[in-house]
């Protein structure tokens, strides 16, 4: 067995089936949490790591939150739920974030686990463009989750597809709503809404 040389404590404490949901999480929202929870239920996962990226692809202006703010909001969102856990591996490694490094670092922290890398339909559509696609498939089972606005083009070889409750919602939507003074509170956990207000996040930007 792979784990036979490990101290018994590690064997006992290590969860066996672990999901990984990477992203910018700027901010984390109910669509992320619903996807993580549903995949965990359908695939009987023991844990899902939420892993914010180090950097932020500039998308819609200058209002994005720092890595520490994104981590803090993700931690608030999962607090109290032993199923979901935030990992700093990508933020601590620094830019650029490559999934192969994410899986390698998490694997070193939790040896002997079986890994499931979860992506929304939008990110999954780009999987074959990922440089490391074939090596990634050795490290983890790929799990694609449905996302409103993005169609499946049919089964994808080597990818497990999971239908999740549809939240037609993105972090971009949340940021735009904050910036333009529209309601956003019930699209994110209450603790995250409080954090956004207390820290005056997403108020800048020039295209609102
Ligand atoms: P942004 O608008 O800034 O791109 P986002 O809402 O797409 O934000 P990301 O941090 O980019 O969030 O996404 C992290 C992961 O979560 C990706 O795999 C993405 O496909 C998935 N995801 C995001 N929102 C949803 C949703 N509403 N339903 C299902 N999956 C989602
Ligand atoms: Mg996105």
């Amino acid at each position: 067995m792979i784990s036979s040389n490990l101290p018994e404590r590690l064997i006992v404490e290590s969860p066996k089936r672990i999901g990984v949901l990477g992203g910018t999480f700027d901010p984390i929202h109910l669509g992320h949490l619903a996807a993580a929870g549903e995949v965990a239920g359908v695939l009987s996962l023991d844990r899902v790591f939420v892993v914010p990226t180090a950097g932020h692809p500039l998308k819609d202006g200058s209002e994005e939150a720092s890595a520490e703010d994104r981590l803090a909001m993700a931690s608030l969102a999962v607090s109290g739920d032993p199923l979901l856990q935030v990992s700093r591996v990508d933020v601590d490694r620094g830019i650029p974030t490559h999934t192969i490094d994410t899986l390698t670092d998490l694997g070193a922290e939790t040896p002997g686990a079986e890994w499931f890398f979860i992506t929304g339909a939008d990110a999954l559509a780009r999987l074959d463009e990922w440089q490391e696609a074939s090596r990634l498939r050795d490290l983890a089972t790929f799990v694609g989750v449905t996302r409103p606005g993005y169609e499946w083009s049919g089964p994808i070889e080597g990818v497990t597809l999971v239908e999740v409750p549809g939240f037609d919602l993105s972090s971009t939507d949340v940021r735009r709503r904050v910036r333009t003074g529209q309601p956003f509170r019930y699209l994110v956990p209450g603790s995250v809404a409080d954090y956004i207000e207390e820290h005056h996040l997403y108020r800048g930007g020039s295209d609102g």
Side-chain angles (χ1 to χ4, degrees), residues 8-182:
E8 196 168 346
R9 182 178 55 82
L10 275 181
I11 297 171
V12 171
E13 289 180 359
S14 295
K16 289 189 182 67
R17 291 163 66 82
I18 310 181
V20 177
L21 181 63
T24 37
F25 301 108
D26 191 19
I28 194 164
H29 57 65
L30 298 184
H32 297 131
L33 296 167
E38 188 71 9
V39 171
V42 170
L43 299 183
S44 302
L45 304 185
D46 301 300
R47 176 168 297 168
V48 178
F49 281 114
V50 171
V51 193
T53 55
H56 194 304
L58 269 183
K59 287 182 222 171
D60 63 350
S62 57
E63 79 274 24
E64 45 295 305
S66 70
E68 291 304 329
D69 280 334
R70 291 183 288 112
L71 277 166
M73 289 187 282
S75 298
L76 286 169
V78 307
S79 119
D81 184 351
L83 181 67
L84 304 182
Q85 194 173 318
V86 175
S87 169
R88 297 186 56 100
V89 285
D90 284 347
V91 168
D92 286 346
R93 190 184 328 100
I95 55 168
T97 293
H98 289 303
T99 302
I100 198 102
D101 298 326
T102 310
L103 292 173
T104 302
D105 288 356
L106 289 172
E109 281 181 6
T110 310
E114 184 178 358
W115 296 90
F116 296 82
F117 189 76
I118 304 163
T119 64
D122 54 318
L124 190 68
R126 300 192 303 270
L127 180 62
D128 283 333
E129 296 170 22
W130 297 6
Q131 271 183 313
E132 329 99 320
S134 62
R135 270 185 70 203
L136 285 173
R137 284 164 198 268
D138 293 337
L139 294 180
T141 298
F142 276 78
V143 180
V145 298
T146 49
R147 180 171 189 180
Y150 301 91
E151 297 298 315
W152 295 123
S153 51
I156 306 173
E157 204 190 326
V159 177
T160 302
L161 300 181
V162 175
E163 186 138 355
V164 304
F167 281 81
D168 188 1
L169 172 61
S170 69
S171 301
T172 301
D173 296 335
V174 176
R175 295 194 300 273
R176 185 179 299 122
R177 281 170 169 269
V178 176
R179 192 174 64 231
T180 59
Q182 293 174 273

